[in-house]
Amino acid sequence: MRWDTDMYLEAVNSRRGRAVLSGLLAGFIASSASAGPADLCFRGLNISGAEYGEFDGVEGVNFTYPSASTVSYFADKGFDTVRLPFKWERLQPRLGEAFERTELERLKTSVAGLRDKGFLIILDPHNFGYYSGNNIGSAEVSPRQFAQFWIRLAAEFANEDGIGFGLMNEPHDIAPAVWLDAANQAIAGIRAVGARNLILVPGTHWSGVVTWPEDFGQGSNAMTMLGIIDPIDNYAFEVHQYMDKDLSGTNEACVNADLAVDGMEKLSDWLRLHGKRAFLGEFGGSKDADCLAGLTRMTDHMASHSDVWLGWTYWAGGDWWSPEEGNNIQPTAEGDRAQLSVLLPALKPDATDPGACLRIPPAG
């Protein structure tokens, strides 16, 4: 498939172009009431490993895609979604240029294996808003180059059943206005190649729930991200939230469970006020009692507010995760991890309309 990258990106950078793109279709349908967990589109997990290592690392030595046994384990437990992290530089070793064919085939093979087991897939370039040490919006990595990456990736997975696009994992150290421009250019490129897949759009500052309304000197996500433009309005905001002392997910004690849940309640109100939706792409906790209780409160909140929440993917499982890693739900020789005792009940009842939010909307 051929496309004129500059033509598409020029469109979104002009007032007339934005108006034309925005007029194509308004397809957002907001439900008026929530019913419970069966109405959540996503109840899944991140399977970590393909984002590991340097871009020129060796598969099986420096990075790994999910194994068949891991995929089967989580499918048998009843999870329905996998957020699949991978490394931007490994897929596209040179900005603006073609994908590395071997890595693209690895990604496609992994996606196909997950789909064969019934999983919905969220593609996740797990780069924190950076490429080779330079952040998006810098002189080295322009928003246009980020959009060019997504034009190529979207063309590979355009309108495939059960595939969603997560624009970027946890952008940070990027001014909200700069990130908004980059996200809008990427969205315009995705739509310009005909891909109508659901797009999950993070904010900057790690896209935290608690910090969503905070202004760190350059505007808040709550204010700035209302400027997202999607010609077909098939997007949601991706947010992350942990419960430990610095909300990073790197400490085992969940001393901020109340703060996390309060942040979710406030975000639900904000989403409803503005007619938006959200997806909790990462959250997690250790086996400590406070963490297990907090995980239940977070999943319960989304189940009770499924008019504005699409669902969640827990962080994380993965073949190479250390058994000592606090958030780990990869099984060990001793069996299931303790966190499953509170996650598995949140998978019931079965979804009333599996994958509804990833259904490709008709062309206008």
Side-chain angles (χ1 to χ4, degrees), residues 188-222:
I190 290 167
R191 299 309 184 209
V193 298
R196 307 178 68 79
N197 309 58
L198 175 72
I199 299 174
L200 298 167
V201 184
T204 187
H205 199 70
W206 294 273
S207 205
V209 170
V210 169
T211 57
W212 191 259
E214 292 190 29
D215 186 337
F216 294 93
Q218 296 175 305
S220 67
N221 284 325

Side-chain angles (χ1 to χ4, degrees), residues 75 136 148 200 274 281:
I136 297 168
Q148 289 168 338
L200 298 167
H274 295 288

Side-chain angles (χ1 to χ4, degrees), residues 27-353:
F28 176 66
I29 302 174
S31 61
S32 59
S34 58
D39 294 302
L40 293 174
C41 184
F42 304 124
R43 289 178 288 177
L45 77 155
N46 295 260
I47 302 184
S48 180
E51 79 279 22
Y52 291 0
E54 297 301 319
F55 81 93
D56 57 352
V58 177
E59 185 183 19
V61 176
N62 307 109
F63 69 97
T64 184
Y65 278 89
S67 69
S69 59
T70 285
V71 172
S72 293
Y73 172 82
F74 287 112
D76 291 345
K77 293 296 182 184
F79 291 93
D80 60 26
T81 304
V82 168
R83 181 172 177 257
L84 183 61
F86 60 91
K87 185 177 285 291
W88 178 3
E89 296 92 340
R90 190 173 292 129
L91 183 59
Q92 188 182 43
R94 295 179 182 84
L95 284 172
E97 297 188 14
F99 287 165
E100 204 284 317
R101 296 306 305 180
T102 300
E103 182 63 12
L104 179 60
E105 288 308 310
R106 288 190 191 108
L107 179 61
K108 286 188 166 185
T109 298
S110 185
V111 167
L114 289 162
R115 291 294 292 135
D116 285 346
K117 282 293 187 178
F119 283 111
L120 308 170
I121 309 296
I122 298 165
L123 297 175
D124 167 38
H126 205 81
N127 278 68
F128 303 90
Y130 281 75
Y131 181 97
S132 293
N134 300 298
N135 64 9
I136 297 168
S138 66
E140 295 81 7
V141 188
S142 70
R144 181 179 292 267
Q145 289 169 316
F146 176 59
Q148 289 168 338
F149 162 76
W150 265 109
I151 286 169
R152 292 184 184 277
L153 189 60
E156 297 290 346
F157 292 95
N159 304 322
E160 288 193 15
D161 179 57
I163 308 293
F165 298 158
L167 283 187
M168 175 56 61
N169 179 69
E170 296 186 357
H172 65 89
D173 298 328
I174 305 173
V178 174
W179 171 244
L180 175 68
D181 176 47
N184 276 336
Q185 289 201 40
I187 293 168
I190 290 167
R191 299 309 184 209
V193 298
R196 307 178 68 79
N197 309 58
L198 175 72
I199 299 174
L200 298 167
V201 184
T204 187
H205 199 70
W206 294 273
S207 205
V209 170
V210 169
T211 57
W212 191 259
E214 292 190 29
D215 186 337
F216 294 93
Q218 296 175 305
S220 67
N221 284 325
M223 176 179 62
T224 305
M225 298 308 289
L226 289 174
I228 287 293
I229 299 169
D230 179 1
I232 67 171
D233 224 1
N234 189 28
Y235 76 95
F237 292 115
E238 179 178 332
V239 292
H240 296 179
Q241 191 58 57
Y242 293 97
M243 299 175 285
D244 55 336
K245 63 182 180 181
D246 58 3
L247 305 177
S248 67
T250 59
N251 306 281
E252 293 205 9
C254 291
V255 298
N256 276 318
D258 288 346
L259 182 63
V261 174
D262 179 66
M264 294 183 69
E265 291 172 351
K266 290 175 179 176
L267 185 59
S268 293
D269 291 340
W270 180 87
L271 293 164
R272 201 168 286 115
L273 175 66
H274 295 288
K276 305 299 182 182
R277 304 175 295 176
F279 156 66
L280 189 63
E282 288 186 23
F283 72 118
S286 72
K287 63 183 179 181
D288 290 356
D290 288 343
C291 295
L292 299 181
L295 292 174
T296 295
R297 292 170 66 190
M298 294 175 82
T299 55
D300 283 353
H301 178 85
M302 287 179 281
S304 298
H305 297 271
S306 58
D307 59 318
V308 293
W309 288 95
L310 296 185
W312 47 268
T313 47
Y314 180 91
W315 183 270
D319 294 271
W320 286 3
W321 270 54
S322 166
E324 274 66 66
E325 170 62 43
N327 293 349
N328 186 4
I329 57 169
Q330 187 76 10
T332 68
E334 287 71 41
D336 292 348
R337 306 288 295 205
Q339 293 91 328
L340 289 182
S341 67
V342 297
L343 291 175
L344 294 184
L347 303 178
K348 300 297 181 181
D350 293 339
T352 55
D353 191 3

